Amino acid sequence: RWSAVVAAGLVFLVLSVGLPMAVVGPDLTVQALGDWDVKIVEPTVEGSLQGSKIWDQSPAAGLRRLVVNEPAFDDVHVSLADLSQTQFHGLSRVLTALLAAGLVVAWRRSRPAGSPINGHDAVVASIAMVLLVGYNLKAHFVGLYLPHLYVATRVAAGGWRPSTASLAFGVATAILILAAPAFVGRSLSNLLYAWSAITVATMLLVVSLGALPPDDAASEKTQAPTPDD
């Protein structure tokens, strides 16, 4: 297991540092890393990264918009409380822990029994990246393509019968589509993003994933044949 962790770390270094150096050169790579430090690392240390701007659709930012009395965009407020920064950060940690627990439950409920690491695990990891990291712009949710396709395939395999999984998936899909400015206009889209439309859709996707019946077909493929076979 530790070898897998080390291998993953090496792959991360190659993709985040080695590949940019090969493509744009060392100077621009160092400049980009410096920008990351100024725009991401330092605000994180100061506790000011999770701003109330609607482009940050992470659960932590959505929580901040609800509990810290700041405008979500322009002079529009959606806050329901007026907590201090310290109170917000404490509540944010609780939210992250609850989301992590929910992901584990969804993963265990719908994962094919006895199977090795597979696509199902990659789906849950993709969702975790956007739910558990405290800063995600709208563009980062492109990582939901794989989970969305996976859940759609599993729901379709059940014949799209009315169920918790199909209902949650349908509502999540509708929210993701209808929140786009091209469909509802910029003003309504901004308001939906202020209420964290993408985060809500992602949580519904987790509900759908957890409500899926176990993939018996995938489970059977991983089981060794018995002596009677």
Side-chain angles (χ1 to χ4, degrees), residues 137-149:
L137 300 180
K138 290 193 305 175
H140 294 160
F141 285 80
V142 69
L144 290 180
Y145 282 152
L146 173 62
H148 210 86
L149 179 62

Side-chain angles (χ1 to χ4, degrees), residues 52-57 65 71-78 138 178-182 184-198:
S52 60
K53 301 303 181 185
I54 58 174
W55 312 121
D56 185 352
Q57 284 289 298
R65 287 190 287 271
F73 65 95
D74 298 333
D75 59 347
V76 176
H77 291 246
V78 296
K138 290 193 305 175
L178 295 178
V184 297
R186 175 63 63 186
S187 297
L188 181 54
S189 175
N190 284 349
L191 188 60
L192 291 172
Y193 287 141
W195 286 99
S196 304
I198 295 180

Side-chain angles (χ1 to χ4, degrees), residues 9 20 25 27 37 40 91 93 129 133 151 205 209:
D27 293 339
D37 184 67
I40 303 296
L91 196 57
R93 294 185 185 95
M129 284 192 298
V133 176
V151 174
L205 195 62
L209 179 67

Side-chain angles (χ1 to χ4, degrees), residues 10-116:
L10 291 175
V11 170
F12 173 78
L13 286 176
V14 170
L15 293 178
S16 60
V17 179
L19 184 60
M21 283 190 174
V23 174
V24 301
D27 293 339
L28 287 178
T29 300
V30 171
Q31 179 181 338
L33 291 174
D35 289 342
W36 178 266
D37 184 67
V38 171
K39 296 178 181 179
I40 303 296
V41 177
E42 291 181 3
T44 298
V45 174
E46 296 171 356
S48 60
L49 175 63
Q50 295 163 339
S52 60
K53 301 303 181 185
I54 58 174
W55 312 121
D56 185 352
Q57 284 289 298
S58 66
L63 177 66
R64 182 188 178 104
R65 287 190 287 271
L66 290 177
V67 301
V68 177
N69 189 19
E70 295 176 348
F73 65 95
D74 298 333
D75 59 347
V76 176
H77 291 246
V78 296
S79 52
L80 304 176
D82 188 12
L83 301 186
S84 67
Q85 292 286 349
T86 301
Q87 291 171 322
F88 158 69
H89 286 301
L91 196 57
S92 178
R93 294 185 185 95
V94 173
L95 174 63
T96 301
L98 290 175
L99 291 174
L103 272 174
V104 171
V105 171
W107 171 68
R108 292 296 300 270
R109 282 179 57 88
S110 57
R111 189 176 192 273
S115 65

